[in-house]
Amino acid sequence: ETGVTQSPTHLIKTRGQQVTLRCSSQSGHNTVSWYQQALGQGPQFIFQYYREEENGRGNFPPRFSGLQFPNYSSELNVNALELDDSALYLCASSLGVSQGNTIYFGEGSWLTVV
Amino acid sequence: DAKTTQPTSMDCAEGRAANLPCNHSTISGNEYVYWYRQIHSQGPQYIIHGLKNNETNEMASLIITEDRKSSTLILPHATLRDTAVYYCIVRAPNSSYKLIFGSGTRLLVRP
């Protein structure tokens, strides 16, 4: 158990729709990052939030957006869903942005776009 | 853009030590090496990380060569539940210190 919880665990959306995924970080962790993992591949970094500000972004289009709230929980929003957005979306939390800290992952949200 | 190289797959017998190698020849002096594993359909599980010295915790040991160009993750007594994909990661040297996952090593522990 990492203390990182994600919801929903599974969902199905239609192409063109919008989706919101939620994440509660481990208690006390002020940094949340999101990763996308397509079937058979390693996770790919989407973006990171530190103290409610985005402080790093991977190679994902602007229709992938996020928020971090004062309690450090976070949301990932994806607009205009495409079939290739079907993947496991992982949330990870850590304390601060030090390179030597430990990052803990949740179990992920499986998104299927049809 | 993974900065590490790992064998695609390995296997070992249950109860024996599993030694998983990783090459990170372009690592810079202040970059940490992290190991995670992922069991099918679950989120990545943190195992261990280190900078220069060897590290040990309740799950595994991490041996980093003196020149830091390679490392080995050791699971001292592998069990069937250790069957997973193991990722060796060097954290990106920027403000987000994101984890860049490669393809990992698929470890199969045989009964």
Side-chain angles (χ1 to χ4, degrees):
Chain A
E1 294 295 329
T2 64
V4 181
T5 57
Q6 295 186 240
S7 63
T9 55
H10 296 79
L11 70 165
I12 300 173
K13 289 286 188 177
T14 303
R15 187 172 51 182
Q17 284 188 317
Q18 178 265 345
V19 68
T20 297
L21 306 178
R22 295 178 175 83
C23 172
S24 293
S25 59
Q26 187 180 113
S27 178
H29 282 188
N30 55 13
T31 305
V32 171
S33 50
W34 286 89
Y35 291 76
Q36 180 197 64
Q37 185 173 22
L39 206 59
Q41 300 181 18
Q44 301 292 310
F45 175 78
I46 302 175
F47 44 55
Q48 178 174 280
Y49 281 83
Y50 171 60
R51 292 184 177 179
E52 303 179 57
E53 297 286 332
E54 184 181 299
N55 79 326
R57 189 178 182 92
N59 189 25
F60 281 82
R63 59 190 184 83
F64 286 78
S65 63
L67 281 174
Q68 187 179 31
F69 301 99
N71 66 355
Y72 302 132
S73 66
S74 177
E75 285 182 356
L76 165 65
N77 298 288
V78 187
N79 294 321
L81 283 167
E82 301 176 359
L83 297 179
D84 285 348
D85 294 333
S86 295
L88 176 65
Y89 287 85
L90 296 159
C91 172
S93 79
S94 61
L95 178 60
V97 291
S98 166
Q99 194 184 159
N101 63 8
T102 302
I103 299 176
Y104 296 98
F105 284 83
E107 293 300 328
S109 294
W110 284 98
L111 171 65
T112 301
V113 182
V114 298
Chain B
D1 293 336
K3 298 171 64 173
T4 62
T5 304
Q6 299 177 251
T8 303
S9 63
M10 296 181 63
D11 66 74
C12 75
E14 187 177 20
R16 305 296 295 268
N19 298 290
L20 291 86
C22 179
N23 180 287
H24 33 78
S25 59
T26 61
I27 194 171
S28 62
N30 60 351
E31 291 180 315
Y32 283 75
V33 178
Y34 282 73
W35 284 83
Y36 283 79
R37 71 181 182 185
Q38 190 170 27
I39 298 169
H40 183 62
S41 299
Q42 297 181 16
Q45 179 187 22
Y46 167 79
I47 302 174
I48 199 166
H49 72 280
L51 181 61
K52 296 180 180 179
N53 301 320
N54 298 336
E55 302 287 344
T56 296
N57 62 21
E58 65 278 4
M59 289 184 67
S61 294
L62 173 61
I63 308 299
I64 303 175
T65 58
E66 192 169 342
D67 63 6
R68 303 210 323 122
K69 293 182 184 301
S70 65
S71 61
T72 301
L73 178 73
I74 300 173
L75 307 178
H77 306 286
T79 70
L80 300 180
R81 291 189 302 175
D82 292 323
T83 292
V85 177
Y86 287 75
Y87 294 99
C88 170
I89 300 163
V90 173
R91 288 183 78 170
N94 57 27
S95 61
S96 65
Y97 295 119
K98 63 187 177 186
L99 298 172
I100 303 175
F101 289 79
S103 300
T105 295
R106 188 171 300 276
L107 174 68
L108 174 64
V109 180
R110 295 177 280 102

